[in-house]
């Protein structure tokens, strides 16, 4: 049977109904400090007809495939993404247990400034860098009450305390924001940068976007506008979560259209579809869904 993935519409975010609009995931891999609470997985494993991918186009700059990553909770669900098109992964945490596919770089995240996270951050980040991690992510959706929930000023102070010390050891990425309207999203990020002044060492910017699979033009515009604004002075942009609501077939069509755009977009260096979780890119047995097949074939 077909399945659908329900996401919160941007209109709810812009209407200010953020807390009511964001719901916890209905799957066994949801952690308190996990990814954006904008997804409800189906209770049964999906079956869907795979839609053929178009012939790949050559990115305008570099090897676009190297941008592609995995957003996971259970490392065992990543094992069937042993593909040259997948080069990095993260799990909204500063460490992970088990093995990622060969050639996939783990990217640690300091999810929030909560003591349970900061107490292990220095050791975890140091160990990850020693093992080959080249990037460190700071704070998951601090502009959203259901996630890290930090004011720009608090986030700036925490960034200087916990992230700055790794300058020169890895590329340091500013907090990952939602695509919500002000005071969320880029409005929150601009206030974070103002609070930082010249004191935060920032090598790049992380951002998230969710909307309908039929609204591809909105994704293209939002992403290109974000990258155009924040990729100045050699800064990188990392789309660490993006997701499209719709049936399996609709999501496959969406990926067929959006992945070549992301691969060819100058300034965007990483992206990860949400997520490597049952009901999205994988089934419960770690086999890839039709959406997962599309993600590694386009």
């Amino acid at each position: 049977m077909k399945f659908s993935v329900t996401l919160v519409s941007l209109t709810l975010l812009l209407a200010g109904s953020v807390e009511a609009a964001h719901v916890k995931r209905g799957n066994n891999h949801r952690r308190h400090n996990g990814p954006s609470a904008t997804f409800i997985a189906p209770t049964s494993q999906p079956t869907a007809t795979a839609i053929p991918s178009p012939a790949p186009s050559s990115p305008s700059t570099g090897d676009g495939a190297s941008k592609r990553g995995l957003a996971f909770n259970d490392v065992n669900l990543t094992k069937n993404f042993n593909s040259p098109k997948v080069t990095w992964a993260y799990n909204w945490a500063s460490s992970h247990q088990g093995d990622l596919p060969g050639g996939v770089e783990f990217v640690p995240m300091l999810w929030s400034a909560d003591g349970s996270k900061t107490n292990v951050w220095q050791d975890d980040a140091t160990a990850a860098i020693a093992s080959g991690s080249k990037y460190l992510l700071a704070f998951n959706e601090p502009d959203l009450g259901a996630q890290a929930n930090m004011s720009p000023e608090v986030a700036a102070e925490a960034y200087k305390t916990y992230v700055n010390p790794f300058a020169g050891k890895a590329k340091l990425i500013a907090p990952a924001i939602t695509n919500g309207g002000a005071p969320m999203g880029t409005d929150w990020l601009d206030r974070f940068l103002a609070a930082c002044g010249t004191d935060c060492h920032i090598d790049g910017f992380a951002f998230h976007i969710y909307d309908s699979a039929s609204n591809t033009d909105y994704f293209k515009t939002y992403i290109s506008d974000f990258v155009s604004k924040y990729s100045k002075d050699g800064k990188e942009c990392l789309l660490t979560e993006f997701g499209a609501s719709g049936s399996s077939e609709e999501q496959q069509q969406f990926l067929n259209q959006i992945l070549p755009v992301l691969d060819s977009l100058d300034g965007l260096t990483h992206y990860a579809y949400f997520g490597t979780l049952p009901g999205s890119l994988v089934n419960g047995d770690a086999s890839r869904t039709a959406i997962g097949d599309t993600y590694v074939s386009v």
Side-chain angles (χ1 to χ4, degrees):
M1 83 182 191
K2 295 181 180 179
F3 79 105
S4 63
V5 177
T6 302
L7 295 166
V8 178
S9 69
L10 181 65
T11 54
L12 286 175
L13 294 174
L14 296 177
S17 303
V18 175
E19 295 299 334
H22 283 70
V23 292
K24 291 186 177 180
R25 292 191 191 85
N27 64 57
N28 293 328
H29 302 287
R30 174 77 168 98
R31 295 193 318 274
H32 173 70
N33 66 327
S36 314
T38 53
F39 171 86
I40 300 175
T43 56
S44 60
Q45 293 184 7
T47 57
T49 302
I51 295 174
S53 302
S57 57
S58 299
S60 61
T61 57
D63 178 10
S66 66
K67 300 179 180 184
R68 205 164 302 181
L70 303 174
F72 72 95
N73 280 335
D74 182 355
V75 72
N76 294 315
L77 298 181
T78 68
K79 65 182 181 181
N80 287 313
F81 290 89
N82 192 356
S83 163
K85 290 194 174 186
V86 176
T87 59
W88 70 281
Y90 83 115
N91 64 345
W92 301 274
S94 57
S95 65
H96 72 92
Q97 301 295 321
D99 296 325
L100 288 165
V104 173
E105 173 192 349
F106 176 68
V107 179
M109 168 180 270
L110 177 60
W111 192 84
S112 75
D114 182 81
S116 64
K117 313 298 184 296
T118 59
N119 288 343
V120 297
W121 171 246
Q122 182 174 353
D123 288 345
D124 286 350
T126 299
I129 292 170
S131 296
S133 298
K134 300 178 180 64
Y135 293 79
L136 299 179
L137 303 174
F139 314 140
N140 187 67
E141 299 185 347
D143 57 326
L144 179 59
Q147 293 295 301
N149 189 26
M150 304 165 72
S151 71
E153 295 74 22
V154 168
E157 288 303 313
Y159 190 97
K160 288 183 279 187
T161 299
Y162 299 109
V163 184
N164 268 6
F166 291 97
K169 301 175 184 178
K171 293 187 177 182
L172 309 184
I173 309 303
I177 58 165
T178 70
N179 60 312
M184 298 169 63
T186 55
D187 179 80
W188 186 100
L189 180 56
D190 290 341
R191 287 183 287 124
F192 167 82
L193 293 174
C196 279
T198 59
D199 296 332
C200 296
H201 183 101
I202 296 173
D203 296 302
F205 297 92
F207 65 114
H208 300 166
I209 177 172
Y210 290 88
D211 206 87
S212 168
S214 64
N215 205 1
T216 309
D217 287 343
Y218 166 64
F219 279 90
K220 292 177 181 178
T221 300
Y222 183 88
I223 293 168
S224 62
D225 286 352
F226 183 97
V227 173
S228 177
K229 179 177 180 179
Y230 294 104
S231 65
K232 295 178 174 61
D233 301 320
K235 298 292 192 292
E236 300 183 23
C237 292
L238 292 77
L239 181 57
T240 49
E241 286 184 37
F242 72 107
S245 61
S247 68
S248 175
E249 287 80 3
E250 290 168 335
Q251 290 184 65
Q252 291 173 69
Q253 293 280 20
F254 167 78
L255 290 174
N256 280 328
Q257 295 177 59
I258 198 69
L259 294 184
V261 174
L262 302 182
D263 286 342
S264 63
L265 182 59
D266 290 340
L268 182 72
T269 61
H270 295 66
Y271 63 79
Y273 193 66
F274 185 83
T276 313
L277 305 166
S280 184
L281 296 182
V282 295
N283 297 304
D285 62 359
S287 62
R288 295 197 308 251
T289 62
I291 303 170
D293 286 341
T294 301
Y295 191 59
V296 296
S297 64
V298 175

